[in-house]
Amino acid sequence: MDSCCAAIKAKVSPVEINGGSMRREKVLLGERVRGSLKSNAFGARTCIILNRKRSRNCNPGVAFSVLTRDINKEMAAFESSSFIDENPKADPGTVASIILGGGAGTRLFPLTNRRAKPAVPIGGCYRLIDVPMSNCINSGIRKIFIMTQFNSFSLNRHLARTYNFGNGVNFGDGFVEVLAATQTPGEAGKKWFQGTADAVRQFIWVFEAAKTKNVEHILILSGDHLYRMDYMDFVQKHIDTNADITVSCVPMDNSRASDYGLMKIDEKGRIVQFAEKPKGSALQSMQVDTSILGLSPEEAASFPYIASMGVYVFRTDVLLKLLRFSYPSCNDFGSEIIPSAVKDHNVQAYLFSDYWEDIGTIKSFFDANLALTKQPSKFDFNDPKTPFYTSPRFLPPTKVEQCRIVDAIISHGCFLRECSVEHSIVGVRSRLDYGVELKDTMMMGADYYQTESEIASLLAQGKVPIGVGHNSKISNCIIDKNAKIGKNVIIANKDGVQEAERADEGFYIRSGITVILKNSTIKDGTII
């Protein structure tokens, strides 16, 4: 026989066997135990080669127990499942991801006035794009495309500084490539991206190129969500259910259901109906018994909808066929492609049961950031097994002098002097002077330092340096990068104004939250 496979317990003993004309040899005897024995086609195996010359050939799945020449060969058949893997394991090498850089980001304005949504800073030192990028890297996915269109300069710069795989040296078959909206020959090539699906369609030739010929599955990801996810678990479910498309979903309550694509599923998890951001009676018709997802009756009553996360995985051939032939005029995945594909494709739902937040509005952005400061927090960037990556800035440690800090995140390279920080985030290179009180505030920090001499010179001229001047009191506020806030400033919105546009004065108010604009100056003694 060529060889046979067996899994043996570790506790075995060497025994001499007299093989007649053979020399005496020592072999290992042990009990047969069940294990994950697989053929070469499905992975590594443990092989014990028994006397190639004297033994007959044996069929796959059969083990011989050879004791002495006087004892007949005993055959023990292993279960077929030991050798055949009905659901092959998902291979990250066959997966590519497409991260959508987002549209104009009007709901996040004015934070998107000069930057794309995925480039908006979050958590003190990260940017939103770092979330899907880090999830891809931690999942072993190394083929990553980012599609950009609006205000993409700072996003492109961040990607180049942070995710330059190999730095000119080959990184295996991995890559990070930016696909920026551009004009191409033909009438259709003169248009900008018309939607998420149209963006992929305009670069469909890239996904048919030679470098992606081994890509069997394509992930479609959004660049403005906050969550930690192993995408290979997602892809594995996609493979196990033999799906054409799989949509990641979360239970959703009444208050926010109309902001998302909603679905109905059957008992096998197949999506039978999909509606994008329904309103009124259409919204009510999408209510389901979410206990089918494993929720308790109480939780199912509170979360009666199944909402799409905007995270999809397609079989590559199915995606290309849908975009090129089936629905060549459909421009959006959520509102057009997915609802249409449900009718004649196997579209499955994947329940994501961990923290997930759509950073689509000023309020959701503000709440998600401040939630990071709570103890315990629902989401934490600090996980050594699945770290989140960002641009290496090589900043010094933060310097704190006689400060009161409660439930806060202080980033790298800050200078805090005799101030109070409570339930707030202080971004990189921030400067808080003595007497400053920061409460319920997201401060993004600065892109560069000003030296002590430069700060002294500006103060002597009656100008305002970057940071927050002494005795200023700030609450319920987002302070964008490089903002200059003078001394004795009060930002509190005591009148409870919900919406205001004061760009000439350096701020907006959105959903009752004061937003200090990037590079703006708030003069000494200002009260907002």
Side-chain angles (χ1 to χ4, degrees):
M1 75 179 185
D2 292 334
S3 67
C4 68
C5 298
I8 60 176
K9 289 183 177 178
K11 188 176 182 180
V12 294
S13 304
V15 178
E16 286 192 351
I17 295 180
N18 187 345
S21 61
M22 295 170 53
R23 66 181 184 277
R24 292 176 179 266
E25 295 181 345
K26 286 187 176 182
V27 299
L28 296 176
L29 299 182
E31 297 177 28
R32 179 178 74 90
V33 295
R34 293 182 180 176
S36 180
L37 302 180
K38 301 179 181 179
S39 66
N40 284 332
F42 297 102
R45 65 181 183 174
T46 304
C47 295
I48 300 177
I49 302 177
L50 301 175
N51 198 353
R52 291 176 179 268
K53 294 182 180 180
R54 291 178 59 87
S55 300
R56 299 176 184 175
N57 289 335
C58 67
N59 295 326
V62 177
F64 287 85
S65 175
V66 182
L67 300 179
T68 70
R69 66 176 183 173
D70 298 323
I71 298 178
N72 292 331
K73 295 172 181 178
E74 298 175 354
M75 300 173 61
F78 290 99
E79 294 85 345
S80 60
S81 60
S82 299
F83 290 88
I84 300 175
D85 195 343
E86 295 179 356
N87 295 319
K89 186 174 177 60
D91 179 9
T94 64
V95 180
S97 65
I98 302 173
I99 302 175
L100 302 172
T106 53
R107 295 187 301 162
L108 265 180
F109 185 87
L111 300 181
T112 52
N113 187 38
R114 287 289 182 267
R115 58 167 78 92
K117 278 198 295 184
V120 173
I122 188 172
C125 64
Y126 302 94
R127 292 178 185 259
L128 282 171
I129 190 66
D130 293 327
V131 175
M133 287 295 299
S134 298
N135 283 333
C136 283
I137 293 171
N138 293 332
S139 301
I141 297 171
R142 296 291 190 271
K143 300 172 182 176
I144 305 170
F145 298 96
I146 302 101
M147 313 202 79
T148 64
Q149 178 165 270
F150 291 94
N151 282 336
S152 59
F153 168 71
S154 62
L155 175 60
N156 293 341
R157 180 179 61 187
H158 177 76
L159 291 168
R161 289 176 176 177
T162 310
Y163 303 103
N164 182 13
F165 281 2
N167 194 24
V169 180
N170 185 29
F171 192 77
D173 61 350
F175 55 83
V176 176
E177 293 190 1
V178 175
L179 303 178
T182 183
Q183 290 190 341
T184 56
E187 190 64 29
K190 296 179 181 179
K191 299 178 181 178
W192 292 109
F193 296 155
Q194 302 299 303
T196 54
D198 182 64
V200 177
R201 182 186 293 111
Q202 288 197 30
F203 279 97
I204 201 167
W205 56 274
V206 173
F207 309 119
E208 295 173 334
K211 71 162 57 178
T212 56
K213 64 181 179 181
N214 295 322
V215 174
E216 299 175 5
H217 310 284
I218 293 182
L219 275 166
I220 307 293
L221 308 173
S222 177
D224 57 355
H225 296 165
L226 180 61
Y227 63 112
R228 176 182 277 105
M229 183 177 184
D230 186 344
Y231 293 136
M232 294 316 298
D233 290 342
F234 182 32
V235 175
Q236 187 66 59
K237 169 66 183 305
H238 176 72
I239 293 173
D240 291 347
T241 55
N242 196 30
D244 297 313
I245 309 167
T246 304
V247 181
S248 189
C249 61
V250 292
M252 187 57 61
D253 57 23
N254 283 291
S255 62
R256 299 190 298 166
S258 61
D259 295 333
Y260 302 99
L262 303 179
M263 66 190 78
K264 290 183 178 181
I265 62 176
D266 63 16
E267 65 279 359
K268 294 183 179 180
R270 181 168 179 170
I271 299 174
V272 295
Q273 186 178 350
F274 191 98
E276 181 71 2
K277 300 180 181 178
K279 310 291 183 185
S281 59
L283 174 63
Q284 295 300 316
S285 69
M286 294 304 294
Q287 284 194 1
V288 296
D289 180 7
T290 51
S291 61
I292 193 175
L293 303 176
L295 274 66
S296 68
E298 295 77 13
E299 291 172 330
S302 300
F303 299 90
Y305 298 96
I306 304 175
S308 167
M309 293 169 55
V311 175
Y312 319 111
V313 58
F314 288 78
R315 277 181 28 212
T316 303
D317 57 333
V318 171
L319 176 63
L320 300 181
K321 180 182 177 183
L322 289 173
L323 294 178
R324 187 185 289 277
F325 302 112
S326 301
Y327 308 109
S329 61
C330 292
N331 294 326
D332 190 74
F333 284 116
S335 62
E336 296 175 291
I337 298 290
I338 302 294
S340 300
V342 163
K343 302 171 186 176
D344 49 11
H345 289 77
N346 182 11
V347 184
Q348 290 282 329
Y350 172 81
L351 175 65
F352 182 67
S353 56
D354 209 337
Y355 176 89
W356 173 80
E357 186 62 55
D358 179 11
I359 311 294
T361 65
I362 290 292
K363 180 168 176 54
S364 63
F365 172 81
F366 183 69
D367 292 342
N369 271 280
L370 294 192
L372 298 172
T373 68
K374 294 182 179 178
Q375 297 296 333
S377 60
K378 293 182 180 179
F379 181 85
D380 194 349
F381 282 103
N382 303 317
D383 186 341
K385 294 183 179 179
T386 54
F388 277 74
Y389 303 93
T390 192
S391 176
R393 300 179 178 90
F394 309 109
L395 294 173
T398 286
K399 187 174 182 180
V400 179
E401 300 177 5
Q402 300 181 28
C403 298
R404 176 181 176 270
I405 301 174
V406 180
D407 295 338
I409 294 175
I410 311 297
S411 301
H412 318 95
C414 299
F415 295 91
L416 281 62
R417 181 191 303 173
E418 299 180 33
C419 60
S420 172
V421 180
E422 183 177 350
H423 195 221
S424 298
I425 291 179
V426 180
V428 294
R429 303 187 188 89
S430 292
R431 182 186 65 85
L432 302 181
D433 217 333
Y434 66 86
V436 168
E437 293 181 9
L438 218 61
K439 184 177 181 180
D440 300 328
T441 293
M442 197 298 190
M443 185 174 183
M444 294 185 181
D447 290 320
Y448 57 92
Y449 280 121
Q450 289 178 327
T451 64
E452 290 295 330
S453 59
E454 288 174 332
I455 292 173
S457 175
L458 289 170
L459 292 173
Q461 299 174 49
K463 297 181 180 180
V464 181
I466 292 177
V468 183
H470 66 261
N471 292 329
S472 290
K473 319 296 181 186
I474 302 174
S475 63
N476 203 43
C477 182
I478 297 172
I479 304 174
D480 208 336
K481 283 197 167 185
N482 308 328
K484 308 173 184 68
I485 299 177
K487 59 186 178 182
N488 300 314
V489 171
I490 297 176
I491 302 176
N493 189 16
K494 290 184 177 180
D495 294 335
V497 175
Q498 290 299 299
E499 303 291 329
E501 297 184 9
R502 304 283 183 85
D504 55 335
E505 298 178 37
F507 71 93
Y508 281 74
I509 297 178
R510 290 285 182 264
S511 301
I513 302 161
T514 305
V515 182
I516 305 301
L517 302 180
K518 184 177 181 179
N519 299 320
S520 64
T521 299
I522 306 298
K523 297 180 179 179
D524 296 347
T526 300
I527 298 177
I528 300 176

